[in-house]
Amino acid sequence: QVQLVESGGGLVQAGGSLRLSCAASGRTFSTYGAGWFRQAPGKEREFVAVIRWNAGSTYYANSVKGRFTISRDNANNTVYLQMNSLNAEDTAVYYCAAGPPLGSWYRWDYWGQGTQVTVSS
C-alpha cells in the first residue's frame, strides 16, 4: 500500500549539514503521520522526529531538538529531514516511517530501507 524510499545520506564533517529525503507512494500516505528514526551500530532504533502530514505539527527527540528540522512537500509526496550542526553521535542509519494515528502517537506500519549518515569527528 505504502512504499517509502530514503535518500540523501552520506559522509559529512562534524559541524556540517545534510538533508535527507523520503519519497512516498500510495494513496493512503497523505493521511498518515511520517517520522524519522535512526539506528547506530550496537544500539536500538530510536525516534528522531515526526510530522503530521496534513497539519504540519512536528515533534523532536531532545537529542536533535534545535538542530534538525522535519518538513514536507505535499505536491511531491515527500518528507525531509534537515540536519545541522552534526556530530559523531548522529552517525547512524536513518529510516523513514509512516502510519495511522494511535492514541497521541502513531502506529509505524511502513518503513523505508534506510540511508547511512556518517559524521566524521
Side-chain angles (χ1 to χ4, degrees):
Q1 290 181 316
V2 175
Q3 294 180 338
L4 305 173
V5 180
E6 304 96 336
S7 63
L11 177 65
V12 64
Q13 192 176 34
S17 299
L18 204 62
R19 189 189 194 192
L20 305 182
S21 299
C22 175
S25 63
R27 186 181 185 88
T28 313
F29 182 74
S30 62
T31 69
Y32 287 175
W36 287 96
F37 295 76
R38 66 186 183 185
Q39 186 170 22
K43 299 180 64 178
E44 293 185 345
R45 188 172 300 180
E46 65 176 346
F47 165 79
V48 175
V50 64
I51 185 169
R52 184 175 177 181
W53 191 252
N54 291 326
S57 299
T58 60
Y59 182 77
Y60 300 90
N62 289 333
S63 59
V64 306
K65 192 176 300 181
R67 300 188 298 120
F68 291 9
T69 302
I70 186 170
S71 60
R72 67 186 182 187
D73 183 344
N74 291 331
N76 292 315
N77 222 29
T78 304
V79 296
Y80 304 94
L81 184 67
Q82 177 66 47
M83 305 183 294
N84 299 325
S85 301
L86 288 164
N87 56 61
E89 287 69 44
D90 296 316
T91 295
V93 177
Y94 284 71
Y95 297 89
C96 181
L102 180 64
S104 61
W105 199 235
Y106 295 93
R107 180 172 179 171
W108 304 113
D109 291 334
Y110 305 97
W111 294 83
Q113 292 184 327
T115 184
Q116 176 71 48
V117 172
T118 303
V119 183
S120 61
S121 60

